[in-house]
Amino acid sequence: MTCRKMNEKLADLLFDPASVPAEVREHVMDCADCKSELASLQATMTLLEDWHAPEPGAFFDARLYARLRSEAAAPPPGFFSRMHAWMLYSSRLQARQWAAAALAAVLAVGGATFAFLNREQPPTVEASAIVRDLQSYDGNAQVFQQLNALDAVDESGSDASN
């Protein structure tokens, strides 16, 4: 086994040596780095077992209750002091989410503004006189057919006397 995998098993070897496989124990006995790491963990645990928490002073409770009363009587903090405390003591995970949302909003607004403001209107094309004449002819085709029919009647001479 490698030393990297042994680091995961050292705590088990320290607290419950019987549950650790024999190959782990053999590796620790053969590897100097793992042996020194185990000795360091054992020394740390020995120090923690010998350490005792200090006893609070005689007036600890009185000072604690006085501090609690003064905090309860104090006016609530303002917006900026709350934001300051949030920025100092938060886990910054919320700040990252808000920053990502603000960045996405800025990019969306900026991209939409660029897309709509940078769009050029296509130039309008003026139709020529020939095109307008053909369009009027198409729109008035029935009138022209009637005029052509009248011209044909006039050329035959049947109604030319009237």
Side-chain angles (χ1 to χ4, degrees), residues 104-118:
V106 165
L107 287 176
V109 168
T113 303
F114 179 77
F116 289 121
L117 291 181
N118 200 21

Side-chain angles (χ1 to χ4, degrees), residues 40-72:
S40 173
L41 284 174
Q42 286 172 339
T44 303
M45 292 306 292
T46 303
L47 283 173
L48 285 175
E49 288 173 359
D50 292 339
W51 183 76
H52 296 286
E55 291 294 322
F59 298 107
F60 175 77
D61 289 339
R63 286 194 312 253
L64 175 68
Y65 290 131
R67 175 78 186 260
L68 288 175
R69 282 191 302 275
S70 68
E71 288 292 325

